[in-house]
Amino acid sequence: MRSEPEGRSHPVDVDPITSGVRRALLRTSDDVRIEAIYQPGRGTRAGRETGRTPAIVVAHGFTGSADRPAVRRAAAAFAAHAAVVTFSFRGHGRSGGRSTVGDREVLDLAAAVEWARALGHHRVATVGFSMGGSVALRHAALYSAARGGRTEARTDAVASVSAPARWYYRGTPQMRRVHWVISRPLGRAVGRYGLRTRIQRREWDPVPLSPVEAVPLIAPTPLLIVHGDRDRYFPLDHPRSLAAAGPAELWLEPGMGHAENAAPGPLLERLADWLADRAARSDGS
């Protein structure tokens, strides 16, 4: 599996819904179809001056999808500050393909960012949770202007919530269960029929850039690392390692567990405010 950016992605089908909300089927640069949802921001200039309204693209965690309640709750909170694009990673929800658990998912996020820009948003921020957080970090690095990334796929600000710093971590019971689901035939069957997640059988080859290796490549794009001090998947050395690897803000949230399911409403509001503010102030470099 290659993790480097490929050619341009594009929407293959768009279904307008009431109140400006749209569902679309996006095609990634490696020809995987990805379901996505767009909603204009409440209380913003979305729909009147879309180009001045930032968009926030939300990358969910492993076994999530665009329609999961926790993702819809986050999208609703973010919509008070910006337009919002949610989508389902490959192998999740109604998207095609199989999950590569953080490798080629950067192409899914790139397709969603391109769609937000195609809808007229000149400033786009990304936020990812757990696996989506690692994808958001790698996407910001691989598509950065400093690395010659495509302008339409680049993010103007990025936040990573509850993400791992390194691959193959098995230091908690929860992550040992995740690795069983990913690596064993019976585990993948549980993933498919119990968790509604279709998982690629092949191992990574080559191993993709790790999140902590991606962080130094993100600057000058604003970066925020968020982690709960009661996260049962990844202990606090993960966010601290990420924040130490490059210019980044670090929020350690007291009492918070793991990812979008555990993110309290006030944190989502602060996240949305940070993302919209940093994206709006971006100089596009």
Side-chain angles (χ1 to χ4, degrees):
M1 305 174 191
R2 293 174 55 101
S3 59
E4 294 302 313
E6 300 183 7
R8 185 172 182 174
S9 55
H10 56 278
V12 295
D13 186 35
V14 177
D15 178 24
I17 306 179
T18 59
S19 303
V21 176
R22 304 183 187 185
R23 281 187 181 266
L25 193 61
L26 311 179
R27 182 181 293 162
T28 68
S29 61
D30 64 339
D31 203 31
V32 176
R33 295 192 175 194
I34 302 297
E35 66 166 343
I37 303 170
Y38 169 82
Q39 60 189 93
R42 303 186 310 274
T44 70
R45 296 178 179 180
R48 298 194 303 273
E49 296 184 66
T50 303
R52 296 187 180 184
T53 303
I56 298 175
V57 180
V58 182
H60 63 76
F62 184 57
T63 75
S65 74
D67 286 318
R68 288 291 176 89
V71 175
R72 300 305 338 139
R73 181 173 64 92
F78 295 160
H81 301 258
V84 182
V85 171
T86 51
F87 66 97
S88 297
F89 280 122
R90 61 187 62 203
H92 293 73
R94 297 182 180 88
S95 292
R98 293 179 182 269
S99 173
T100 66
V101 198
D103 181 14
R104 297 187 73 83
E105 281 77 7
V106 294
L107 305 179
D108 307 345
L109 181 52
V113 170
E114 289 182 1
W115 188 43
R117 293 193 186 278
L119 290 168
H121 296 280
H122 299 163
R123 294 289 180 264
V124 179
T126 53
V127 56
F129 296 87
S130 192
M131 181 190 78
S134 67
V135 172
L137 293 172
R138 295 183 56 247
H139 167 268
L142 294 171
Y143 287 85
S144 68
R147 290 172 61 92
R150 303 195 310 275
T151 300
E152 66 274 13
R154 177 184 47 77
T155 184
D156 294 299
V158 56
S160 177
V161 184
S162 303
R166 52 195 182 275
W167 302 135
Y168 304 112
Y169 178 72
R170 293 178 171 86
T172 59
Q174 287 75 12
M175 283 308 298
R176 289 192 285 275
R177 285 196 288 270
V178 169
H179 280 279
W180 178 81
V181 169
I182 294 168
S183 62
R184 301 293 181 87
L186 179 58
R188 289 190 293 271
V190 170
R192 183 180 185 92
Y193 298 107
L195 303 175
R196 300 181 181 178
T197 303
R198 304 173 305 281
I199 304 166
Q200 174 70 264
R201 289 180 293 177
R202 295 192 302 273
E203 295 185 0
W204 287 336
D205 183 20
V207 175
L209 186 75
S210 73
V212 74
E213 292 171 326
V215 167
L217 306 177
I218 293 173
T221 302
L223 169 62
L224 173 63
I225 306 296
V226 182
H227 211 90
D229 67 358
R230 294 188 182 178
D231 192 309
R232 296 191 298 166
Y233 287 78
F234 304 112
L236 292 178
D237 66 296
H238 286 261
R240 287 171 175 153
S241 296
L242 292 171
E249 290 187 43
L250 175 61
W251 295 355
L252 296 179
E253 296 298 308
M256 178 182 158
H258 185 69
E260 61 263 48
N261 291 318
L267 171 61
L268 294 173
E269 293 290 340
R270 285 193 288 128
L271 259 175
D273 185 64
W274 188 95
L275 288 162
D277 176 71
R278 298 309 189 276
R281 288 195 285 163
S282 170
D283 62 4
S285 62

